[in-house]
Amino acid sequence: MKKTNAARIILLTGLITGLAIAAAAGRQEQKPEEKHKPISPDRIYTFPTLNVVVEDFSARGLILDIGGGGEGVIGQLKHQQVVAIDLIKRELEDAPSKPLLRIVMDARDLKFLDDDFSTATVFFTFMYIAAADHEQVFRELFRVLAPGGRLLIWDVIFPKRVDEKKDVAMFPLKIKLPEKEINTGYGVKWPENEQGMDHYITLAKKAGFEVITQKEHEGWFFLELMKLKD
């Protein structure tokens, strides 16, 4: 389970027994009095399980994985090709995968040189980043990708809230990799506005990316973007 300062969820025998949300730079913000405060189950809306199939993909050189802590799904898939960054040190320490490098870093201010990577991935991490910061993250990813480089994104689709009392979204996931299956759950403060694939496509194009592949599934989506060669 992705345990972040944006959302901490405890799952026990399939039941949500508690959730606390804490603010962190680059993550969804909240009021100071809410930090580390247990969330009432009445505020949590649990979505149907998302069945996420992650197929192996070709990649030249190193892969920059944004939010690569927690389960470290991309690290489990691509191993020593991966440079995993995360804002939370413990997330990187707890990841079961063994990427080439694990670095504490803010996706809004990547410390890499221009054109450093041929592939970047963002696996269910944008959901933890405040929507107001998404545009900056796209700009940074565009900068560090080499011309012809690809950006692969998997993330949830946030529908409009129908019950204002349910302001915490919980997404159980069944992640299918080529050689294993991961069962987990991600929880986060529910954004006030709808946030789906079109939101990310708009920002990606604004940053300079071209959309190569777009697939919308039940509750989640996949995008393949490219930084075109000059």
Side-chain angles (χ1 to χ4, degrees):
M1 181 173 61
K2 210 163 198 174
K3 304 177 292 295
T4 72
N5 277 6
R8 295 182 182 274
I9 302 172
I10 301 172
L11 294 178
L12 181 60
T13 62
L15 297 176
I16 301 173
T17 59
L19 184 151
I21 298 175
R27 306 281 181 162
Q28 291 200 354
E29 299 295 336
Q30 65 179 126
K31 297 177 182 178
E33 62 268 21
E34 290 181 332
K35 293 183 181 182
H36 307 295
K37 182 180 179 181
I39 301 299
S40 167
D42 293 337
R43 293 176 56 189
I44 300 171
Y45 181 86
T46 302
F47 285 82
T49 299
L50 307 183
N51 293 294
V52 180
V53 178
V54 182
E55 299 177 354
D56 197 3
F57 55 89
S58 61
R60 294 180 294 101
L62 298 177
I63 300 167
L64 173 61
D65 185 29
I66 305 297
E71 289 81 17
V73 170
I74 302 303
Q76 292 194 52
L77 180 65
K78 304 303 286 186
H79 309 292
Q80 291 290 298
Q81 273 190 278
V82 175
V83 175
I85 75 159
D86 201 292
L87 198 60
I88 311 301
K89 181 181 179 182
R90 176 59 64 84
E91 290 290 290
L92 293 168
E93 292 173 338
D94 290 347
S97 60
K98 298 298 180 184
L100 178 65
L101 291 172
R102 293 176 290 175
I103 306 172
V104 177
M105 191 180 297
D106 190 333
R108 299 171 301 177
D109 184 23
L110 298 174
K111 302 303 182 181
F112 302 108
L113 300 178
D114 295 357
D115 305 340
D116 254 0
F117 295 90
S118 61
T119 306
T121 55
V122 189
F123 187 83
F124 287 86
T125 295
F126 268 117
M127 64 185 290
Y128 287 102
I129 301 174
D133 291 325
H134 287 178
E135 185 174 346
Q136 175 62 20
V137 174
F138 271 106
R139 284 198 296 262
E140 280 293 274
L141 285 165
F142 187 84
R143 180 183 65 78
V144 302
L145 278 171
R150 296 185 302 156
L151 171 59
L152 309 179
I153 301 172
W154 299 257
D155 219 297
V156 301
I157 297 171
F158 284 106
K160 184 178 180 180
R161 271 193 272 169
V162 295
D163 183 350
E164 289 303 314
K165 295 180 181 179
K166 301 282 188 180
D167 62 344
V168 176
M170 170 64 193
F171 297 91
L173 274 81
K174 181 180 292 185
I175 304 167
K176 296 182 180 179
L177 298 178
E179 297 182 357
K180 66 173 64 177
E181 184 175 290
I182 302 169
N183 291 286
T184 186
Y186 298 159
V188 70
K189 188 73 175 290
W190 197 330
E192 292 184 4
N193 300 317
E194 294 181 56
Q195 194 169 288
M197 187 168 62
D198 289 344
H199 163 79
Y200 296 97
I201 289 175
T202 298
L203 294 177
K205 289 181 176 179
K206 187 174 182 180
F209 286 105
E210 179 170 305
V211 178
I212 304 301
T213 304
Q214 57 184 84
K215 296 180 180 179
E216 190 168 296
H217 303 270
E218 189 66 35
W220 65 282
F221 69 88
F222 168 74
L223 279 176
E224 177 187 7
L225 309 171
M226 180 175 286
K227 177 178 178 178
L228 296 181
K229 297 180 180 179
D230 297 333

